Amino acid sequence: MSINNHFISGLGRKTLLHKGRSQLPRLIVIHYSVTNTVAEAAMALNHEKLSYHILIEKDGTAFQTRGFNETAAHPGLSNWKSEKDIGLGNSVAQGSVGICLMNKGYAYDKTLPQSASAPGKLIYNPNDQSMQRWEKYPQAQINACHQIASDVIAAYPITEVVGHHDVAIMGKFDPGPLYDFSPLNALLPSPKLLGLKTTVDSKDGFLNLREEPNAQSTVLQNLANGAPVHVRSVTYGSRVACIQPSPAKRKRYLTAWASVSLGDDNQHAGFVHMGGLKSTPLTPTLAAFL
Ligand SMILES: [Zn+2]
């Protein structure tokens, strides 16, 4: 398929209430819908004034809701490998394409008998620290997603394909453990972009790398002063955990915790408190609260 005037030729259209602004896409963000059908998803999206660029049924039938040069309201509060200026209320909506696959996620489990023959795959969810039965993505749906994403990669300066979970790392585990990013990553330049490169600079002489973004969480490793880290994503959390009060209508707040990779492998290694880093991607106003 080809992209003409920011629409994929031959794809069905679906109109959503949310209207975006103009953009140049650099990132593809994959999601699951928590619904079974595009009709259900469209109803929920219109109710919340949210949107994705692409909605894909389980049988692979896909719909485009807007041109790729228009933003969609899909990632919420989020950030990704920013060099600077992560502030309250930021979002990677600007500069990204949202693709949503119809899939119930692990909620699927609740309606199923707990037997070995039940559909879906039983898998450990580190976010919820429990075993959950995840709905599998049918091959026809995956094929449609790969076709659309590769068209987008061919037409725009896309640097990465990520999950919603990567850019909003304390949000829902989205698109979940059964989505395989490797076929699309293979189409992209390698190595991938790294996050803000900085070093550990703590008055204790070391910084704890933790499993979760809080001071009570398990310590995975001690990072000595001078050790290099790459900040991938800064987490949002409850008001209690935030580093500065923000407008009361926000449900989540920017915290002092960042997901980092160690060295150049570009993988999430754990969370660190940014007070022990030499520099952060936060705006100076926010960085002063660390
Ligand atoms: Zn999502």
Side-chain angles (χ1 to χ4, degrees):
M1 291 181 280
S2 63
I3 295 181
N4 288 312
N5 202 20
H6 308 288
F7 281 87
I8 294 182
S9 309
L11 220 57
R13 303 276 180 97
K14 182 73 74 181
T15 305
L16 297 175
L17 293 178
H18 169 259
K19 302 287 175 227
R21 298 188 301 271
S22 76
Q23 68 159 2
L24 175 66
R26 292 180 196 85
L27 192 68
I28 294 177
V29 184
I30 308 285
H31 305 256
Y32 74 87
S33 62
V34 204
T35 64
N36 280 311
T37 65
V38 165
E40 287 169 26
M43 221 152 58
L45 291 168
N46 284 337
H47 187 257
E48 302 286 332
K49 298 281 194 300
L50 298 174
S51 53
Y52 304 97
H53 293 85
I54 298 285
L55 301 162
I56 309 178
E57 301 276 19
K58 294 181 188 187
D59 69 0
T61 307
F63 300 90
Q64 186 165 355
T65 74
R66 64 204 56 223
F68 296 118
N69 63 335
E70 182 182 335
T71 59
H74 60 103
L77 294 173
S78 52
N79 52 77
W80 187 239
K81 296 182 179 175
S82 298
E83 288 296 315
K84 60 186 174 76
D85 294 344
I86 290 178
L88 290 167
N90 268 19
S91 176
V92 300
Q94 183 69 40
S96 69
V97 166
I99 298 180
C100 186
L101 290 82
M102 299 306 111
N103 180 292
K104 292 287 276 182
Y106 65 87
Y108 195 62
D109 190 32
K110 291 175 187 159
T111 60
L112 286 173
Q114 296 293 313
S115 76
S117 62
K121 187 171 179 184
L122 203 59
I123 203 156
Y124 184 70
N125 178 345
N127 268 25
D128 294 349
Q129 299 180 6
S130 61
M131 295 297 286
Q132 293 164 341
R133 194 175 293 282
W134 287 78
E135 182 178 2
K136 289 177 185 165
Y137 292 101
Q139 196 57 47
Q141 189 181 31
I142 289 294
N143 291 348
C145 177
H146 287 177
Q147 179 64 58
I148 290 163
S150 50
D151 290 344
V152 171
I153 289 167
Y156 300 98
I158 302 294
T159 54
E160 281 191 273
V161 180
V162 299
H164 189 186
H165 173 73
D166 291 310
V167 296
I169 196 159
M170 289 311 288
K172 80 187 209 273
F173 197 18
D174 178 10
L178 300 185
Y179 186 86
D180 180 7
F181 284 91
S182 53
L184 290 177
N185 277 328
L187 302 176
L188 293 163
S190 192
K192 302 287 176 281
L193 289 178
L194 290 163
L196 171 81
K197 187 174 188 179
T198 183
T199 52
V200 175
D201 182 18
S202 165
K203 58 181 184 324
D204 302 326
F206 69 93
L207 182 62
N208 289 317
L209 180 73
R210 294 185 184 270
E211 192 172 342
E212 296 289 325
N214 66 69
Q216 286 74 49
S217 162
T218 307
V219 175
L220 300 171
Q221 203 178 321
N222 289 332
L223 305 173
N225 273 358
V229 297
H230 292 272
V231 176
R232 304 164 74 246
S233 183
V234 178
T235 68
Y236 287 89
S238 67
R239 196 180 178 90
V240 180
C242 74
I243 57 176
Q244 188 197 35
S246 69
K249 63 182 178 182
R250 297 255 174 226
K251 292 189 189 120
R252 284 187 291 165
Y253 305 87
L254 202 62
T255 75
W257 294 84
S259 158
V260 296
S261 54
L262 307 178
D264 294 338
D265 67 355
N266 202 26
Q267 297 295 308
H268 169 76
F271 294 94
V272 298
H273 187 280
M274 290 185 290
L277 296 178
K278 192 159 193 174
S279 58
T280 76
L282 297 182
T283 55
T285 328
L286 286 168
F289 284 84
L290 291 174

